[in-house]
Amino acid sequence: MSDEKDDPLMVRAVEKAFRILATFDAANPRQTLTQLADKAGLDRSATQRFTHTLSRLGYLRKDGRTKAYELTPKTLNLAYQYTRSSPVVLRAHPYLSHLNRTTEETISLTVLDDTEIIYLSRYLSPNVLDTDVIVGSRLPAYCSAGGLALLSMLEDAKIEEVLDRSHLRAYTAKTIYDREGIWTRIRFVREHGFAMVEEQIYPGDISIAAPILLADGNVMAAVSLGASRFRYQADAMVQRFVPALVAATRSMSQAIPT
Amino acid sequence: MSDEKDDPLMVRAVEKAFRILATFDAANPRQTLTQLADKAGLDRSATQRFTHTLSRLGYLRKDGRTKAYELTPKTLNLAYQYTRSSPVVLRAHPYLSHLNRTTEETISLTVLDDTEIIYLSRYLSPNVLDTDVIVGSRLPAYCSAGGLALLSMLEDAKIEEVLDRSHLRAYTAKTIYDREGIWTRIRFVREHGFAMVEEQIYPGDISIAAPILLADGNVMAAVSLGASRFRYQADAMVQRFVPALVAATRSMSQAIPT
DNA sequence: ATAATACTTATCGTAATGCGATAACTTATC
DNA sequence: GATAAGTTATCGCATTACGATAAGTATTAT
């Protein structure tokens, strides 16, 4: 275990600032000083200082009337910079855009972050199956198409470690969350070169995914295609979209460096 | 002028951390310690401490080989939280999505941030005019459709202040960047209820925009529709899309609180 | 209405935290 | 293979941020 304590290079003030920012979500878009203090686990004085600082920096705004703080659009900056500086995102863009237009289905680019996948880009279907996944969304790796595609490229031991840390649970009646079930799917990906999941998290959603590899064989990211169960049978989807998906990820594996 | 100095509530460490993060862009996706120190205007020791801290927090990653730092996908978190907590973004979504599907043109939601507009959401055209505007992008208010729609709802004095602070310049041969030209367009928006610009920033782009108002008459955001000059004449575009655009922003003005 | 209460803003002396100079070490350059 | 440039580690000191408290303001109860 890494001890957060007594790390002389660690500037704790920064962590506290991010703790404040991290308390905002759909359920709590506007929060008052004490609410923030409670949720962030800081005392009043500290909360006072950090809300003040973040307000001065332009990331927080205080409603003079209600005294509640809310995030400002400036918080989009960081993500903008990431998107604009990430080689994967930039280089994958033309391929994904093309896939999206030819298939008319939702295309996503995801990476692994420990036990979760993070969505780096989304290209929505005009027919729209609007799950509320957006850029920055996180889903568990073990039951998402992208996650399985990414996991399957790791060493077995690493996968076990990830699963150990994962909170395996059922999101729908169909969710496969037992170890053996998950391993069966990982072996499937390794054998066939793509992952496929049906209604594992969102009812009605079927997704396929394939990994983008580095020259050294390591995974970089995964591309997934999601569609509605009501428009395609699973096997029809595989037939129809897997070749293009796999071809695209192959090309990307070639085209994207480091 | 507000003096950044001696503000006892200001935690400077936070500012420095953000200074480090802000140095990353398309031209500098990976930066080494000294590069960061130079660009952020911090000494080596400070840079050392903040890169360390940000790495521990998961926002930065160091390539062990090249010793270069880069942003991690975790930097998408903040924007995700903003998007998920912003009433404007959430409430506008169905309207914008609908506009996007019925018009098949690119639809954007923007807000004013001093002299610039910030893109809060984008709904791309299947026909794609891929300017490289994405969520989080900033454009000058005075020559963008959304910007003019937003500015026009402010008091004249406020507008002058914004223009004073703006760096008025030509992005294309067609850019209108003289005060009187800008005022003419602002009056146009006030009279007709929508803004319209042709190739002001990106060649080939024509955009129209209309403001979303609060109950008290203040502006909240603007919705813009962008298309290619090669597909529509300006007046054809107005005829074709303005009614739907204005109807949508009217509904949104009603539907979105605070 | 008025008191009581809870929360927000302002102030300040103190100590610990983060500062920045320097040293040890590592990688690139010639 | 020597020199320089850059990165990582260490440490004593002063300053910065801490956190307790007081003053001010809104909210609730009676």
Side-chain angles (χ1 to χ4, degrees):
Chain A
M1 272 275 93
S2 59
D3 42 318
E4 306 260 321
K5 198 69 196 76
D6 55 88
D7 175 346
L9 286 186
M10 186 76 174
V11 180
R12 268 156 280 263
V14 178
E15 192 206 344
K16 291 178 193 163
F18 278 107
R19 280 240 289 284
I20 295 279
L21 292 172
T23 61
F24 291 89
D25 57 28
N28 311 287
R30 292 154 176 259
Q31 299 182 97
T32 176
L33 197 81
T34 16
Q35 287 178 296
L36 284 169
D38 290 349
K39 280 194 71 184
L42 302 175
D43 61 65
R44 301 269 169 93
S45 291
T47 310
Q48 188 182 181
R49 255 173 286 121
F50 288 105
T51 51
H52 177 86
T53 302
L54 291 168
S55 299
R56 291 279 310 244
L57 295 177
Y59 296 102
L60 238 47
R61 169 173 35 225
K62 175 168 56 180
D63 182 329
R65 221 176 36 76
T66 67
K67 267 89 205 284
Y69 290 89
E70 63 183 359
L71 297 178
T72 69
K74 193 178 177 182
T75 53
L76 297 175
N77 273 8
L78 250 215
Y80 176 77
Q81 285 168 143
Y82 172 76
T83 301
R84 279 294 181 237
S85 71
S86 161
V88 206
V89 175
L90 296 177
R91 305 296 283 273
H93 169 65
Y95 298 91
L96 302 179
S97 178
H98 180 255
L99 255 184
N100 175 237
R101 264 174 291 153
T102 52
T103 63
E104 298 205 324
E105 299 297 339
T106 298
I107 307 293
S108 307
L109 182 70
T110 55
V111 289
L112 198 60
D113 184 43
D114 195 32
T115 68
E116 299 179 309
I117 58 170
I118 304 181
Y119 283 80
L120 303 190
S121 15
R122 291 218 97 198
Y123 298 78
L124 298 178
S125 163
N127 318 305
V128 162
L129 156 71
D130 215 18
T131 60
D132 39 19
V133 174
I134 61 173
V135 169
S137 289
R138 289 163 175 271
L139 291 180
Y142 69 87
C143 62
S144 55
L148 289 167
L150 290 162
L151 284 178
S152 70
M153 294 294 121
L154 303 180
E155 292 161 20
D156 287 13
K158 292 275 179 200
I159 300 176
E160 279 292 356
E161 284 172 34
V162 172
L163 294 180
D164 287 343
R165 283 193 298 273
S166 298
H167 173 48
L168 305 176
R169 67 184 195 84
Y171 289 83
T172 72
K174 287 199 179 178
T175 307
I176 294 166
Y177 64 104
D178 63 295
R179 304 291 268 232
E180 203 32 63
I182 295 167
W183 274 106
T184 305
R185 311 175 114 201
I186 286 171
R187 284 191 297 269
F188 177 91
V189 181
R190 285 176 174 169
E191 190 174 340
H192 297 89
F194 70 94
M196 137 101 163
V197 305
E198 290 185 75
E199 304 189 293
Q200 292 293 295
I201 297 176
Y202 296 101
D205 170 75
I206 313 187
S207 292
I208 55 175
I212 304 177
L213 303 177
L214 293 167
D216 61 12
N218 284 322
V219 235
M220 177 182 357
V223 177
S224 65
L225 179 154
S228 166
R229 200 192 81 190
F230 307 108
R231 310 206 311 121
Y232 297 104
Q233 294 289 321
D235 49 353
M237 218 174 117
V238 169
Q239 286 227 328
R240 183 155 182 174
F241 298 124
V242 163
L245 180 68
V246 169
T249 52
R250 285 245 171 81
S251 307
M252 287 187 252
S253 299
Q254 234 92 89
I256 304 177
T258 309
Chain B
M1 272 277 96
S2 58
D3 42 318
E4 305 259 322
K5 197 71 197 70
D6 56 88
D7 176 345
L9 286 185
M10 184 78 175
V11 181
R12 267 157 282 263
V14 178
E15 192 205 343
K16 291 177 194 164
F18 278 107
R19 279 240 289 284
I20 296 278
L21 292 172
T23 62
F24 291 88
D25 57 28
N28 311 287
R30 291 153 176 262
Q31 300 181 99
T32 176
L33 196 81
T34 18
Q35 289 178 295
L36 284 169
D38 291 348
K39 282 195 68 185
L42 302 174
D43 61 66
R44 301 271 170 91
S45 291
T47 311
Q48 187 183 185
R49 256 173 285 122
F50 288 105
T51 51
H52 177 86
T53 302
L54 290 167
S55 299
R56 292 279 311 245
L57 295 177
Y59 296 103
L60 238 47
R61 170 173 33 227
K62 176 169 55 183
D63 182 330
R65 222 174 36 74
T66 67
K67 268 94 206 281
Y69 290 89
E70 62 182 0
L71 297 176
T72 70
K74 194 178 177 182
T75 53
L76 297 175
N77 274 10
L78 249 215
Y80 175 77
Q81 284 166 150
Y82 172 75
T83 302
R84 278 296 182 233
S85 71
S86 161
V88 205
V89 175
L90 296 178
R91 304 297 282 274
H93 168 65
Y95 297 91
L96 301 178
S97 177
H98 180 255
L99 255 183
N100 175 237
R101 263 174 289 155
T102 51
T103 63
E104 299 204 325
E105 299 298 338
T106 299
I107 307 293
S108 307
L109 182 70
T110 56
V111 288
L112 198 60
D113 185 42
D114 195 31
T115 69
E116 298 178 310
I117 57 170
I118 304 181
Y119 282 80
L120 302 190
S121 16
R122 291 218 99 199
Y123 299 78
L124 298 179
S125 162
N127 317 307
V128 162
L129 155 72
D130 215 19
T131 60
D132 37 21
V133 174
I134 61 173
V135 169
S137 289
R138 289 163 175 271
L139 292 180
Y142 70 88
C143 62
S144 55
L148 289 167
L150 290 163
L151 283 178
S152 70
M153 294 295 121
L154 303 180
E155 292 163 18
D156 287 13
K158 292 276 180 200
I159 299 177
E160 279 292 355
E161 283 172 35
V162 171
L163 294 180
D164 286 343
R165 283 194 298 273
S166 298
H167 172 48
L168 305 176
R169 68 184 194 85
Y171 289 84
T172 72
K174 287 201 182 177
T175 307
I176 293 167
Y177 64 105
D178 63 294
R179 304 291 268 232
E180 203 31 64
I182 295 168
W183 274 105
T184 304
R185 310 175 114 199
I186 285 172
R187 284 192 296 269
F188 178 92
V189 181
R190 285 176 175 170
E191 189 174 341
H192 297 90
F194 70 94
M196 137 101 163
V197 305
E198 290 185 75
E199 303 189 294
Q200 293 293 296
I201 297 177
Y202 296 101
D205 170 76
I206 313 187
S207 292
I208 54 177
I212 304 178
L213 303 177
L214 293 166
D216 59 14
N218 285 321
V219 236
M220 176 181 357
V223 178
S224 65
L225 180 154
S228 166
R229 202 193 78 189
F230 308 108
R231 309 206 312 121
Y232 296 104
Q233 296 287 322
D235 48 354
M237 219 174 117
V238 169
Q239 286 227 326
R240 182 154 181 175
F241 297 125
V242 164
L245 180 69
V246 169
T249 52
R250 283 249 170 78
S251 307
M252 286 187 252
S253 298
Q254 234 92 89
I256 304 177
T258 309

